[in-house]
């Protein structure tokens, strides 16, 4: 097609990726880090099918993404023509809005509703356009009588999202009556740092953060005990195990076993989605609304608790945990520990850096050893927990924020799935820094087999890849680091290098991502898996035995 057919090409920035899954991930990352609508485009048939994983990531984490796909000729659908896949039927489950364009005069109405629905309901919208209709001119002769031109509007109106005064008062009374309070603050609480800290100060309550909420308050805040759940901290878990009152702010953290036991704590929940109230824990009061606005309305109704013993106990626990993480992050053993790479990277990130991480053992190292400070942003695939998202997330983030430092902290399993997107970063001069933890194994699967099932590891080892070499082959800069004493220097060099960079960090494959408090059953399963003949069981046992185990006792 000639330039005359592309009248808007100078107003739209199109990023060409190497795999459609990466397009959906990048759109999801863009939406997560900006709050704006992420958009991805794919062809008919296989191109559209490839979008699905990234779109499910957007659905499960509740971010607005629009997918536009092609469809075969409208009068050959369901005749077995090439790429005869009805993508609107395939996408039914993933979408909040899903439609097939029936003609040129249909487009304006459909696209307006698609964008509005994705933004209003924080989810996925999909529009598919048959190839012959893509070429159809907008002609008044094709328009139905009732479809008046331009009867739709592109004005975005946001709800006030505020609970009633009576509901707020009753919630405040419940919180004022509590003695041992915990605030569970998730992704919906991002942007409400000052309000969360004021609430924590008034209630004498530690803030425990599900991983999607890692950036809601910085990790050096005196009010947070850090992460919670399997990848969290011991003080967060102990606070949740012993609290008498729970305030959930913008979170539907899915691991029910890490909440207080039902009946242990009274609870108030703030969420923008009324369907999420009471989803994980039996709350007494649900405040439906935007976290920031609700917190601002709720705070004046609270009394400051004079007894700070509960908060101070949590703070002591956090201080001890931080010392343990410091020990783990500064070990000089060989092979190099993955914690060392995360620790050294965390110390060097800019105060406004954007960090994307992947799914696997890499998530544990990021959760525990890359602290959030300043105005940093952080995300990952939360509820879908899919591999391969971090590099495309970083692409979406760097496109949105060209002047901010963007880092993808990835595992070798996740990176190898979509590593051709390094060429995308090179093509568009996106100065993303990719730090890959290379242990040549699917670590999370390996440790789950051992700790949760008591089975020897099976088919987890990966064929090694020279990721620094791959980076260079794509036109980026590649570094390799194997020794802990060299890690900081190499990271300094990588972060100071212009353009996209990959750091290939070779680490110990036998370092386990242990829970914050290991259970007797898990320890038994772990011992059973070693006894049953796990390869390298001697090295694994030695590594585990040499680790500091204060948090496991």
């Amino acid at each position: 097609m000639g330039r005359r057919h592309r009248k808007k090409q100078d107003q739209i920035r199109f990023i060409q990726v190497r795999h459609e899954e990466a397009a959906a991930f990048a759109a999801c990352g863009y939406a997560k880090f900006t709050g704006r609508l992420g958009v991805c485009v794919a062809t008919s048939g296989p191109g559209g099918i490839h979008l699905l994983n990234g779109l499910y990531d957007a659905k499960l984490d509740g971010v607005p993404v629009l997918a536009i796909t092609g469809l075969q000729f409208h009068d050959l659908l369901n005749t077995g023509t090439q790429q005869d896949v009805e993508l609107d039927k395939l996408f039914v489950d993933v979408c909040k809005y899903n439609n097939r364009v029936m003609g040129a005069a249909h487009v304006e109405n459909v696209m307006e509703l698609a964008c509005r629905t994705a933004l209003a309901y924080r989810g996925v919208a999909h529009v598919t356009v048959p190839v012959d209709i893509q070429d159809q001119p907008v002609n008044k002769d094709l328009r139905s009588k009732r479809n008046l031109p331009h009867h739709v509007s592109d004005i975005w109106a946001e709800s006030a999202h505020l609970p009633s005064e009576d509901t707020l008062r009753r919630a405040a009374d419940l919180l004022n009556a509590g003695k041992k309070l915990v605030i569970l603050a998730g992704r919906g609480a991002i942007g409400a740092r000052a309000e969360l800290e004021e609430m924590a100060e008034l209630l004498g309550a530690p803030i425990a953060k599900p991983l999607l909420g890692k950036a809601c308050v910085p990790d050096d805040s005196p009010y947070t005990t850090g992460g919670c759940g399997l990848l969290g901290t011991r003080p967060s878990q102990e606070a949740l195990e012993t609290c008498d009152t729970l305030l959930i702010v913008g979170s539907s953290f899915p691991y029910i076993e890490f909440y207080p036991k039902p009946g242990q704590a009274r609870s108030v929940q703030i969420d923008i989605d009324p369907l999420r109230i009471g989803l994980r824990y039996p709350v007494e009061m649900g405040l439906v609304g935007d976290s920031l606005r609700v917190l601002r309305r709720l705070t004046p109704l609270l009394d400051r608790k004079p007894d700070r013993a509960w908060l101070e106990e949590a703070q002591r626990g956090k201080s001890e945990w931080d010392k343990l993480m410091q020990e783990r992050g500064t070990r000089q053993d060989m092979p190099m520990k993955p914690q060392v790479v995360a620790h050294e990277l965390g110390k060097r990130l800019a105060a406004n850096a954007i960090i994307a991480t992947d799914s696997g053992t890499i998530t544990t190292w990021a959760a525990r050893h890359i602290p959030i400070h300043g105005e940093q942003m952080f995300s990952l695939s939360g509820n879908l927990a899919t591999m391969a998202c971090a590099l495309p997330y970083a692409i979406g983030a760097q496109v949105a924020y060209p002047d901010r430092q963007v880092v993808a902290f990835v595992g070798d399993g996740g990176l190898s799935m979509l590593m051709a997107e390094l060429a995308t970063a090179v093509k568009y001069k996106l100065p993303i820094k990719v730090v890959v933890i290379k242990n040549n194994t699917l670590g999370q699967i390996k440790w789950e087999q051992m700790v949760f099932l008591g089975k020897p590891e099976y088919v987890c080892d990966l064929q090694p890849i020279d990721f620094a070499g791959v980076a260079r082959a794509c036109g980026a800069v590649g570094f390799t680091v194997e020794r802990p004493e060299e890690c900081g220097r190499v990271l300094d060099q990588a972060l100071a290098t212009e353009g996209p960079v990959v750091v290939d960090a070779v680490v110990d494959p036998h370092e386990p991502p242990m829970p914050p408090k290991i259970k007797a059953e898990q320890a038994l399963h772990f011992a059973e898996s070693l006894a049953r003949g796990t390869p390298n069981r001697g090295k694994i046992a030695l590594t585990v035995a040499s680790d500091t185990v204060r948090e496991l006792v």
Side-chain angles (χ1 to χ4, degrees):
M1 293 175 68
R3 182 180 173 85
R4 64 188 178 84
H5 294 290
R6 298 199 177 100
K7 297 177 181 177
K8 302 288 186 181
Q9 67 176 10
D10 295 334
Q11 298 173 36
I12 297 173
R13 187 177 184 193
F14 179 76
I15 305 297
Q16 175 208 60
V17 296
R18 295 303 185 98
H19 195 294
E20 293 91 352
E21 183 180 6
F25 278 142
C28 180
Y30 178 93
K32 282 186 171 186
F33 290 122
T34 65
R36 300 195 295 270
L37 182 68
V39 183
C40 53
V41 180
T43 60
S44 62
I49 293 168
H50 283 156
L51 292 176
L52 268 176
N53 196 47
L55 295 181
Y56 268 101
D57 186 34
K59 174 190 175 178
L60 268 63
D61 281 353
V63 292
V65 170
L66 169 66
I68 304 170
T69 63
L71 201 62
Q72 277 308 316
F73 293 91
H74 85 278
D75 54 357
L76 288 177
L77 285 168
N78 289 313
T79 66
T81 190
Q82 188 186 42
Q83 297 192 346
D84 194 356
V85 180
E86 294 186 89
L87 292 173
D88 50 340
K89 294 180 180 178
L90 181 65
F91 283 27
V92 163
D93 180 63
V94 79
C95 289
K96 297 280 190 184
Y97 181 89
N98 184 22
N99 210 341
R100 180 186 302 189
V101 170
M102 305 295 284
H106 196 200
V107 170
E108 184 180 15
N109 306 340
V110 167
M111 292 305 296
E112 192 279 336
L113 267 174
C115 295
R116 184 182 298 279
T117 304
L119 287 163
Y121 291 98
R122 292 170 172 80
V124 175
H126 170 235
V127 176
T128 189
V129 191
V131 64
D132 51 322
I133 289 176
Q134 292 175 28
D135 281 339
Q136 194 178 89
V138 179
N139 187 318
K140 64 181 180 181
D141 296 335
L142 298 175
R143 186 179 293 274
S144 63
K145 289 186 296 183
R146 303 183 81 176
N147 184 16
L148 297 179
H150 313 307
H151 71 267
V152 296
S153 168
D154 62 359
I155 298 300
W156 164 241
E158 190 178 7
S159 165
H161 305 310
L162 287 174
S164 69
E165 290 297 329
D166 177 63
T167 307
L168 286 165
R169 179 74 263 175
R170 287 159 59 203
D173 289 344
L174 191 157
L175 295 172
N176 284 331
K179 291 187 169 32
K180 297 180 177 179
L181 295 97
V182 173
I183 300 170
L184 189 69
R187 195 177 68 84
I190 289 174
R193 171 184 170 178
E195 290 74 14
L196 283 171
E197 290 189 321
E198 184 179 6
M199 181 75 70
E201 165 62 25
L202 285 169
L203 297 175
I207 301 169
K209 302 185 295 181
L211 197 48
L212 280 174
K214 184 174 172 69
C216 68
V217 295
D219 283 299
D220 56 3
S221 167
Y223 300 105
T224 186
T225 46
C228 59
L230 196 63
L231 314 183
T233 71
R234 182 167 181 159
S236 285
Q237 184 165 339
E238 289 179 340
L240 287 164
E241 287 174 349
T242 56
C243 68
D244 64 22
T245 309
L246 176 66
L247 172 62
I248 304 171
V249 184
S251 177
S252 55
F253 178 59
Y255 297 102
I256 296 171
E257 62 270 28
F258 287 99
Y259 286 78
K261 288 184 173 55
Q264 169 195 318
R266 303 182 71 191
S267 183
V268 173
Q269 183 174 356
I270 300 170
D271 204 287
I272 201 164
D273 184 354
L275 295 178
R276 295 180 186 268
I277 299 295
L279 184 64
R280 312 290 186 211
Y281 195 76
V283 301
E284 289 184 45
M285 295 298 305
L287 305 178
V288 177
D290 173 74
S291 297
L292 180 68
R293 291 167 175 157
V294 175
L295 287 171
R296 285 177 176 170
R297 296 285 293 275
L298 183 59
T299 299
L301 305 177
L302 298 175
D303 303 324
R304 187 181 187 277
K305 296 189 183 300
D307 186 354
R308 317 309 281 178
W310 167 252
L311 177 60
E312 288 167 0
E313 180 185 352
Q315 289 169 332
R316 283 191 295 272
K318 178 62 161 44
S319 178
E320 290 174 8
W321 180 266
D322 287 344
K323 288 175 185 173
L324 178 63
M325 293 302 102
Q326 174 77 11
E327 288 175 25
R328 293 281 176 86
T330 55
R331 289 176 55 174
Q332 298 300 298
D333 314 39
M334 283 290 292
M336 183 167 61
K337 301 299 181 184
Q339 298 97 314
V340 170
V341 188
H343 175 78
E344 294 293 342
L345 177 64
K347 290 195 300 184
R348 289 167 167 80
L349 293 176
N352 69 343
I354 301 173
I355 307 136
T357 196
D358 224 301
S359 299
T361 54
I362 190 74
T363 323
T364 299
W365 316 136
R368 291 184 177 164
H369 295 278
I370 300 181
I372 292 296
H373 63 271
E375 301 302 317
Q376 290 175 346
M377 291 194 283
F378 173 93
S379 200
L380 75 163
S381 174
N383 286 292
L384 187 60
T386 178
M387 295 170 70
C389 65
L391 176 54
Y393 271 23
I395 289 172
Q398 195 75 82
V399 167
Y401 301 101
D403 298 325
R404 291 177 74 160
Q405 183 185 69
V406 176
V407 174
F409 185 69
V410 300
D412 47 359
L415 180 60
S416 59
M417 287 181 169
L418 289 173
M419 64 185 172
E421 301 310 329
L422 292 170
T424 304
V426 171
K427 177 173 183 174
Y428 294 100
K429 299 180 174 57
L430 302 174
I432 296 161
K433 306 302 182 265
V434 179
V435 178
V436 53
I437 300 297
K438 183 165 72 177
N439 57 11
N440 300 319
T441 187
L442 292 172
Q444 193 70 22
I445 308 302
K446 166 181 167 178
W447 296 111
E448 284 177 354
Q449 287 174 356
M450 295 174 68
V451 174
F452 294 104
L453 301 177
K455 305 289 186 184
E457 61 169 299
Y458 179 67
V459 295
C460 293
D461 289 344
L462 298 171
Q463 177 65 24
I465 294 173
D466 176 5
F467 291 104
V470 171
R472 289 189 285 270
C474 291
V477 176
F479 296 93
T480 300
V481 60
E482 299 186 39
R483 303 194 63 82
E485 67 270 20
E486 297 173 358
C487 186
R489 177 185 58 78
V490 172
L491 287 171
D492 280 335
Q493 195 174 352
L495 292 171
T497 300
E498 291 186 7
V501 176
V502 173
V503 176
D504 190 348
V506 182
V507 303
D508 185 357
H510 306 307
E511 183 68 19
M514 289 299 201
K517 292 172 72 175
I518 196 164
K519 297 177 182 176
E521 182 185 14
Q522 293 169 343
L524 178 62
H525 281 164
F526 189 67
E528 286 175 351
S529 70
L530 295 177
R532 287 177 179 176
T534 285
N536 297 303
R537 56 189 178 275
K539 291 180 181 178
I540 292 170
L542 183 64
T543 301
V544 174
S546 66
D547 278 344
T548 307
V549 292
R550 276 186 279 138
E551 85 279 23
L552 308 180
V553 176

